[in-house]
Amino acid sequence: MTYRAPVDDITFTLKHAAGVSRAIEQGLYGDLSEDLVDAVIAEAGKFATDVIAPLNRVGDQHGTPFKDGRVVMPPGWKEAYRDWAAAGWNGLAASADWGGQGLPHALNAACIEMWNSACMAFGLGPLLTVAGVEALAGHGSEELKRTYLPKLVSGEWMGTMQLTEPQAGSDVGALRTRAERVGDGTYRITGQKIFITYGEHDLTDNIVHFVLARLPDAPGGTKGISLFIVPKFLVNADGTLGARNDARCHSIEHKLGIHASPTCTMVYGDHGGAVGYLLGEENRGMNCMFTMMNNARLAVGLQGVGIAERALQQALAYARERRQGRVAGATGSSPIIAHVDVRRTLMTMRALTRAARAICYATAAAIDRAHRSDDTAERRSAHERASLLTPVAKAFSTDIGIEVASLGVQVHGGMGFIEETGAAQHLRDARIGTIYEGTNGIQAIDLVTRKLPLSGGAAVKACLDELRETVVAVAAVNDPAFGHTAARLAEAVECLDRATAWLLGRLDTAPDAALAGATPYLRLFATAAGGAMLAEEALAAVRTSGPDPAGRMAVARFFAENLAVQAGALERTVVEGADSIADTEAALA
Ligand SMILES: Cc1cc2nc3c(=O)[nH]c(=O)nc-3n(C[C@H](O)[C@H](O)[C@H](O)COP(=O)(O)OP(=O)(O)OC[C@H]3O[C@@H](n4cnc5c(N)ncnc54)[C@H](O)[C@@H]3O)c2cc1C
């Protein structure tokens, strides 16, 4: 079963849960119209369905063989990438000054979901290129921008993001790759990076590496890290490719999933040092890297949504076809979708996928508002909203990517465990999402220690207030189709409110207790916010006679009555669970 982009679903969530329609009305997006949104999503859906999705299996089976320093991408990939870039998809949200289309991040987020649904290993490369574009556009000198941005925006060259070293994973401050000043404004880079996605491949003529390194006189930790652009081939003054730089791929990893994404060990300076160009200021590299990482974190969250959507589609198709047992009243054997336990599984998959999608798109829309609003206060509050939601979007969506893919295997029974079915690949591919771009544990810590205290807690309070407004609106329509949605969501929001206050009260006085609750808190946050966003979408579907209002109400209700009810347990875990972790030496001995 192949993937079919759920264009109507995506467009509706974008317009209503993420508020793109309202933003268009308010003039936030210039002359962007709803018709253009429809057209872009439809076209992206067609490309994802027709061109990228067929690459998924061949990429998984072929992998990326490595020989004589070269990586060979799977059959058909080069042509597909060329056509994808030529159609302008890489530069969708990039500035028109550099050849991009200047369209909203929210629109790009929807496209990223579809590229990754179609084939996660394919979607991953451009995801990092686009993150590099953001960092370069935000922090680069005019000369660096002129040299690299047009080709990175067009997709003629791809980018990589290089933090990780054997001793420096989550602890980026431990990195040792060195950068030496050579007196002509350039630097020489020596060292080793591991796990570098698309560090080497044959899709593009040049690869632009964004490499974190340390100057000899730099302070220790993250305050002594600088970011460098290190191209695979140096670029001549006239823009043509020059000498091969002293940067090469030493080997590639053999992995559980995303087989067609080459994961490279990179070596710098075997011949005296790779030429590097400073991006931003010396020792301020983490500042630039955060621009890149925030962008990539949301995009990795969208990978979680994408893989969940694909797993759901496949499970639904199988459940309609496979016949086993007989439900009460049926004459012959029943399709397994008729069994209520299977329907519960499928509804769980759908509700989690849609909730994660809504959270990710809302994050992208907040980024747009932070960049585009004329109002300084609104830009600031939107920036805080995006900062608050980014770790939630990344961690929740990749968590549910695995959960939904695993449920998808379950719906297939024994056939799910057999590779030919394809369901197993989704689970293998999904597994990396919770690990890279900052593990989900690190995301939860970021949410609790850095994002909750934003503006003295006002950012999270504003978010809670909005969730309450949705609950009130659901209660006000008083539609029996919503069942207990309003009541269950109201409880979830109050659980989130109390857990937030508890954590904020302990950040200074009992930081370990706060850290112990970080992961269940992030899930609680996503549960309350995701539930409210699904309800918001359902209300909009009824109000606008949008597609499938009954289905949307059913999904919102299912989420509220079956998943949001976990909020109470999550609150308890945050508030009461810390003590049980404090003294675990004997248990883990
Ligand atoms: C397929 C793949 C592609 C990748 N692509 C890239 C890439 O393109 N560029 C790049 O730079 N890196 C890349 N990475 C590396 C990836 O970002 C790291 O693996 C990730 O950041 C985790 O680092 P680590 O593997 O060293 O794990 P560790 O840091 O050793 O973490 C191990 C465990 O301990 C936990 N932990 C660690 N520190 C803390 C702490 N302070 N508090 C609480 N818990 C903690 C983590 O959450 C995790 O569960 C890739 C990795 C893989 C597998």
Side-chain angles (χ1 to χ4, degrees):
M1 150 86 201
T2 188
Y3 164 73
R4 181 152 299 280
V7 167
D8 289 346
D9 230 19
I10 283 178
T11 312
F12 194 81
T13 299
L14 200 54
K15 289 182 178 174
H16 298 287
V20 165
S21 291
R22 189 168 56 92
I24 288 174
E25 250 173 59
Q26 293 169 337
L28 189 78
Y29 292 133
D31 55 8
L32 181 77
S33 64
E34 299 220 6
D35 287 348
L36 184 58
V37 171
D38 295 343
V40 171
I41 298 297
E43 206 48 45
K46 197 166 151 23
F47 197 98
T49 303
D50 296 345
V51 183
I52 303 179
L55 303 176
N56 197 43
R57 185 130 180 86
V58 69
D60 187 53
Q61 288 175 329
H62 186 274
T64 58
F66 179 69
K67 200 162 172 250
D68 301 330
R70 289 169 197 278
V71 165
V72 182
M73 295 301 284
W77 280 56
K78 200 166 180 171
E79 296 75 15
Y81 177 78
R82 182 198 58 210
D83 294 350
W84 179 85
W89 294 115
N90 197 59
L92 197 73
S95 160
D97 296 345
W98 305 109
Q101 302 194 43
L103 287 167
H105 284 279
L107 202 51
N108 200 31
C111 295
I112 292 172
E113 178 200 317
M114 290 187 272
W115 314 139
N116 283 283
S117 259
C119 179
M120 194 167 142
F122 182 94
L124 180 55
L127 179 163
L128 293 164
T129 307
V130 168
V133 165
E134 286 269 310
L136 183 51
H139 304 278
S141 66
E142 280 310 307
E143 195 187 339
L144 277 183
K145 287 190 208 173
R146 254 198 323 275
T147 308
Y148 294 99
L149 268 181
K151 305 253 180 184
L152 284 170
V153 167
S154 69
E156 192 175 331
W157 297 344
M158 286 175 84
T160 70
M161 179 171 170
Q162 308 205 7
L163 298 86
T164 308
E165 299 178 14
Q167 77 297 342
S170 303
D171 185 6
V172 181
L175 69 83
R176 292 190 196 131
T177 295
R178 287 173 66 82
E180 305 265 357
R181 302 176 188 93
V182 285
D184 63 354
T186 68
Y187 296 76
R188 292 296 173 273
I189 313 294
T190 49
Q192 191 198 50
K193 296 282 176 185
I194 61 166
F195 296 158
I196 301 308
T197 297
Y198 278 78
E200 177 60 40
H201 57 79
D202 59 5
L203 294 184
T204 54
D205 295 339
N206 205 4
I207 305 175
V208 183
H209 305 300
F210 290 74
V211 182
L212 286 182
R214 193 180 285 290
L215 287 157
D217 50 2
T222 50
K223 291 199 166 63
I225 293 176
S226 307
L227 180 59
F228 298 90
I229 284 196
V230 186
K232 176 177 168 184
F233 286 98
L234 301 178
V235 182
N236 298 321
D238 64 358
T240 55
L241 292 187
R244 182 77 160 80
N245 206 353
D246 188 6
R248 68 185 176 87
C249 170
H250 172 269
S251 54
I252 66 161
E253 307 294 345
H254 302 279
K255 310 190 295 290
L256 176 68
I258 53 165
H259 290 161
S261 166
T263 306
C264 307
T265 296
M266 300 296 297
V267 177
Y268 295 91
D270 271 356
H271 303 287
V275 179
Y277 306 93
L278 182 70
L279 184 49
E281 292 170 39
E282 287 186 355
N283 299 332
R284 303 264 300 145
M286 284 312 287
N287 197 28
C288 313
M289 195 43 106
F290 268 119
T291 306
M292 202 166 169
M293 283 196 299
N294 279 333
N295 183 299
R297 283 177 177 175
L298 172 57
V300 169
L302 289 157
Q303 290 192 308
V305 179
I307 209 88
E309 172 65 36
R310 187 159 189 170
L312 167 63
Q313 287 191 16
Q314 182 153 349
L316 271 170
Y318 187 80
R320 289 193 187 105
E321 221 172 71
R322 171 77 173 157
R323 291 182 168 272
Q324 283 292 283
R326 186 152 56 91
V327 295
T331 45
S333 68
S334 305
I336 58 171
I337 198 170
H339 296 296
V340 73
D341 187 59
V342 175
R343 286 214 304 279
R344 166 181 289 286
T345 305
L346 292 167
M347 281 299 281
T348 304
M349 294 170 78
R350 170 140 279 162
L352 288 173
T353 305
R354 282 204 183 152
R357 176 180 290 137
I359 291 172
C360 285
Y361 291 8
T363 310
I367 294 171
D368 282 329
R369 208 166 270 279
H371 286 161
R372 292 174 183 251
S373 171
D374 295 333
D375 182 76
T376 316
E378 191 186 27
R379 273 204 308 276
R380 186 189 148 94
S381 66
H383 176 71
E384 290 193 341
R385 175 62 58 87
S387 303
L388 182 72
L389 289 183
T390 297
V392 181
K394 194 275 176 180
F396 176 66
S397 307
T398 53
D399 276 344
I400 69 96
I402 297 171
E403 288 166 31
V404 171
S406 181
L407 290 172
V409 169
Q410 194 68 20
V411 169
H412 284 77
M415 285 309 289
F417 204 66
I418 306 301
E419 283 290 352
E420 278 75 4
T421 316
Q425 187 193 339
H426 305 324
L427 181 56
R428 288 189 286 101
D429 286 350
R431 194 61 192 84
I432 185 61
T434 62
I435 297 170
Y436 59 19
E437 276 319 321
T439 63
N440 284 6
I442 299 291
Q443 302 302 317
I445 291 170
D446 176 52
L447 173 66
V448 167
T449 61
R450 282 191 280 274
K451 305 303 170 57
L452 293 189
L454 285 172
S455 289
V460 65
K461 184 178 176 307
C463 189
L464 280 158
D465 288 346
E466 275 179 32
L467 301 183
R468 284 196 183 95
E469 279 170 28
T470 302
V471 173
V472 169
V474 177
V477 296
N478 200 21
D479 188 328
F482 270 124
H484 301 289
T485 302
R488 297 295 91 86
L489 286 182
E491 285 161 14
V493 174
E494 294 322 309
C495 290
L496 178 62
D497 192 5
R498 286 190 299 268
T500 305
W502 190 90
L503 288 170
L504 279 171
R506 271 152 194 83
L507 281 178
D508 293 331
T509 54
D512 269 358
L515 290 177
T519 290
Y521 176 78
L522 188 146
R523 185 70 178 216
L524 169 57
F525 196 118
T527 300
M533 286 182 196
L534 290 181
E536 189 68 51
E537 246 185 75
L539 288 171
V542 175
R543 200 174 52 238
T544 63
S545 309
D548 191 20
R552 281 181 192 279
M553 279 202 278
V555 172
R557 176 181 178 176
F558 179 88
F559 192 101
E561 293 179 355
N562 295 271
L563 302 172
V565 287
Q566 292 161 8
L570 289 165
E571 180 198 353
R572 281 239 153 106
T573 315
V574 173
V575 172
E576 296 172 6
D579 286 348
S580 64
I581 302 175
D583 189 13
T584 40
E585 247 169 66
L588 294 175

